[in-house]
């Protein structure tokens, strides 16, 4: 696994800790392909794990301290295993600390360690660098202090290393527990009430395939992805208070579901939303309308993919963006410009904002042979329209972590 990230993170580790790391892990970022803000509504969503990673290099230490360095932030973060608390000077470490606390809650025992973190996922682009860091942290702790998560809670007997010192692969049911730990870390420690999309995508990705998630049954399928190019355009505009805005959307969805007599919007249909509009506030109506139509779009998108109708699938991507923009209202001027420009390029099948929104990136499905011309066109036209320099990223669809 001598990829660039692994080499770079090993070098970073050696530079800071003056030793060779005992273990390295990496977890990929993800792109949400279709299904915006459907996951925490018990809905359906499709994603892709892509070849951008968070890599972590670790070694145990004997003094009960944990020391973290990151290539993305200037200061080291150091704390004792007995005192895992937030440090406002190093908010990036919260994702690691949140996971450590969740593992402890599950009964996992760990001692001190050194860790270096290096990533190739652009931060704030909506490609889930945070979930990759959470997943990577849990995998790194497993390498250092082997444990086996029992589906539904608790631990089973720890796995044994083979003659080469390797641990057995993590079966799917246990991988789901890793995803839940990452999500709980973010919900309870970081304070973003995210769904489980990002963590599942990072763990259940499959090369050239979609991660197709049913968030009610927590089942995952990996249908093949057509051989089109997947291109990310990062608007480079991040809005403040992302956590606050995200949690507010979730609250509106939950309120709407309750007023419509459901636990989650998954079981509500758009006609019920329309018929009961008077029961809802304007924002609840808008959020419910987006989520119910979006879940239906994921169903229809799945059918189009299976039938090989990429043109139709792309249309659902455009419709998804319009619904996010007009109803969920988590788009931005810059994301709208990116989607509008993409829609005018003949090789673009579909484009939409990807992830939480309020800034970040768009995902574009583009005819393979014209990917380069599309990228040049987007770079040129986005700068013309906004004055912002942006380099589109062509992504490969890869296997998940573990
Ligand atoms: C963020 C969250 C996910 C999901 C998406 C929107 O990425 O972390 O759980 O809600 O936004 O679909």
């Amino acid at each position: 696994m001598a990829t660039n990230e692994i080499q770079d993170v090993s070098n970073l580790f050696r530079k800071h800790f003056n030793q060779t790391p005992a273990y390295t892990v990496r977890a990929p970022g993800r792109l949400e392909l279709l299904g915006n803000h459907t996951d925490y509504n018990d809905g359906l969503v499709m994603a892709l794990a892509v070849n951008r990673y968070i890599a972590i290099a670790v070694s145990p230490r004997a003094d009960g301290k944990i020391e973290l360095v990151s290539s993305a932030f200037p200061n080291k973060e150091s704390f004792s295993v007995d005192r895992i608390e937030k440090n406002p000077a190093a908010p990036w470490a919260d994702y690691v600390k949140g996971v450590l606390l969740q593992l402890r809650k599950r009964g996992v025992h760990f001692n001190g360690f050194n860790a270096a973190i290096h990533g190739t996922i652009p931060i704030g682009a909506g490609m889930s660098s945070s979930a990759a860091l959470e997943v990577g942290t849990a995998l790194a702790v497993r390498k250092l202090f082997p444990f086996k998560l029992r589906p539904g809670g608790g631990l089973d007997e720890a796995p044994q290393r083979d003659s080469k010192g390797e641990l057995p692969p993590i079966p799917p049911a246990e991988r789901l527990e890793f995803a839940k730990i990452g999500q709980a870390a973010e919900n309870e420690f970081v304070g973003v009430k995210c769904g489980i999309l990002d963590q599942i995508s990072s763990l259940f990705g499959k090369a050239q395939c979609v991660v197709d998630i049913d968030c009610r049954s927590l089942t995952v399928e990996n249908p093949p992805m057509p051989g089109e190019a997947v291109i990310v355009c990062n608007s480079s505009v991040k809005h403040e208070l992302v956590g606050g805005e995200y949690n507010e959307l979730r609250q509106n969805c939950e309120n709407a579901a309750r007023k419509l007599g459901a636990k989650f919007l998954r079981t509500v249909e758009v006609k019920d939303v329309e018929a009961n509009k008077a029961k809802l506030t304007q924002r609840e109506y808008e959020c419910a309308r987006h989520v119910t139509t979006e879940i239906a779009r994921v169903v229809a998108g799945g059918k189009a993919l299976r039938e090989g109708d990429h043109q139709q699938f792309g249309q659902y991507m455009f419709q998804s963006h319009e619904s996010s923009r007009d109803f969920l209202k988590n788009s931005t001027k810059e994301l709208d410009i990116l989607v509008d420009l993409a829609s005018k390029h003949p090789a673009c099948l579909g484009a939409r904002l990807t992830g939480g929104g309020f800034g970040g990136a768009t995902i574009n499905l583009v005819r393979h042979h014209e990917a380069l011309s599309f990228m040049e066109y987007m770079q040129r036209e986005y700068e013309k329209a906004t004055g912002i320099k942006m380099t589109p990223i062509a992504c490969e669809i890869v296997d998940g972590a573990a």
Side-chain angles (χ1 to χ4, degrees):
M1 198 167 67
T3 62
N4 287 342
E5 302 82 24
I6 295 293
Q7 270 165 19
D8 290 347
V9 82
S10 302
N11 291 339
L12 182 72
F13 188 95
R14 269 189 289 270
K15 187 172 140 213
H16 280 275
F17 300 114
N18 247 325
Q19 54 174 167
T20 303
Y23 304 103
T24 53
V25 296
R26 64 171 191 172
R30 67 99 190 89
L31 292 171
E32 177 194 281
L33 181 63
L34 193 61
N36 196 223
H37 285 255
T38 51
D39 62 349
Y40 56 78
N41 289 294
D42 243 12
L44 304 169
V45 54
M46 289 180 181
L48 311 169
V50 293
N51 61 335
R52 295 288 168 135
Y53 297 89
I54 294 286
I56 308 183
V58 287
S59 273
R61 47 190 284 168
D63 61 358
K65 270 190 156 175
I66 295 175
E67 206 159 289
L68 311 173
V69 293
S70 160
S71 59
F73 302 95
N75 296 329
K76 260 192 200 172
E77 175 64 352
S78 179
F79 52 95
S80 150
V81 286
D82 307 322
R83 264 188 93 124
I84 302 181
E85 292 166 358
K86 282 194 175 193
N87 172 5
W92 57 272
D94 287 354
Y95 300 94
V96 176
K97 294 173 183 173
V99 168
L100 293 174
L101 289 171
Q102 286 299 324
L103 287 171
R104 178 170 288 159
K105 216 171 167 183
R106 284 288 198 117
V108 173
H109 178 76
F110 52 85
N111 285 318
F113 60 90
N114 289 329
I117 302 163
H118 172 70
T120 50
I121 307 173
I123 295 173
M127 291 177 73
S128 287
S129 53
S130 42
L133 178 52
E134 291 151 15
V135 168
T137 299
L139 294 176
V141 174
R142 177 181 185 261
K143 292 254 186 179
L144 287 166
F145 312 102
F147 60 83
K148 188 168 174 61
L149 301 171
R150 181 185 301 155
L155 296 175
D156 281 325
E157 198 180 321
Q160 299 293 317
R161 298 186 200 274
D162 65 14
S163 55
K164 290 192 199 126
E166 298 286 344
L167 291 170
I170 306 175
E174 191 187 358
R175 257 184 276 153
L176 194 55
E177 299 302 311
F178 274 79
K180 288 181 192 166
I181 281 176
Q183 184 198 14
E186 198 146 333
N187 288 176
E188 293 170 27
F189 195 74
V190 178
V192 179
K193 303 280 173 218
C194 66
I196 201 164
L197 158 70
D198 309 342
Q199 294 80 8
I200 288 193
S201 307
S202 185
L203 283 152
F204 286 82
K206 190 168 168 205
Q208 319 313 333
C209 292
V210 176
V211 186
D212 193 348
I213 313 169
D214 183 328
C215 299
R216 180 165 60 189
S217 57
L218 287 179
T219 46
V220 181
E221 286 177 21
N222 290 120
M225 178 67 188
E228 316 291 0
V230 175
I231 292 163
V232 172
C233 294
N234 184 357
S235 72
S236 314
V237 179
K238 246 194 332 190
H239 285 218
E240 297 300 321
L241 293 174
V242 172
E245 284 165 319
Y246 183 93
N247 292 350
E248 205 178 298
L249 288 186
R250 182 167 183 160
Q251 194 60 57
N252 276 308
C253 290
E254 287 172 0
N255 291 349
R258 203 183 53 248
K259 290 186 185 175
L260 297 171
K263 185 146 186 247
F264 293 105
L265 287 173
R266 168 70 179 271
T267 52
V268 176
E269 284 183 44
V270 64
K271 63 172 177 20
D272 305 322
V273 177
E274 297 298 350
N276 294 288
K277 195 174 169 184
K279 290 187 189 158
L280 307 175
T281 66
Q282 178 65 12
R283 279 307 280 143
E284 286 162 3
Y285 163 74
E286 289 168 341
C287 291
R289 164 145 183 164
H290 165 79
V291 169
T292 49
T293 58
E294 187 76 349
I295 292 173
R297 261 187 297 277
V298 179
V299 175
K303 185 164 173 283
L305 266 193
R306 280 193 300 278
E307 289 167 357
D309 192 346
H310 309 165
Q311 200 93 40
Q312 183 59 51
F313 186 83
Q315 289 305 306
Y316 292 132
M317 291 175 73
F318 284 125
Q319 289 169 18
S320 165
H321 183 80
E322 282 164 20
S323 179
S324 297
R325 181 191 67 201
D326 299 340
F327 290 95
L328 205 58
K329 300 196 165 135
N330 62 338
S331 187
T332 61
K333 185 172 98 246
E334 292 80 10
L335 290 168
D336 293 342
I337 290 172
L338 284 171
V339 171
D340 187 50
L341 288 171
S343 71
K344 294 187 176 125
H345 192 284
C348 179
L349 294 162
R352 57 185 288 278
L353 68 84
T354 183
F358 306 110
T362 59
I363 176 172
N364 301 265
L365 198 62
V366 180
R367 291 284 185 211
H368 218 274
H369 55 283
E370 293 208 49
L372 272 183
S373 98
F374 177 81
M375 288 164 74
E376 282 162 14
Y377 159 85
M378 289 300 291
Q379 180 157 6
R380 188 177 63 239
E381 296 301 319
Y382 187 60
E383 187 172 352
K384 230 192 258 170
T386 62
I388 302 171
K389 284 196 197 306
M390 180 272 302
T391 310
I393 309 170
C395 290
E396 273 170 41
I397 306 168
V398 299
D399 286 333

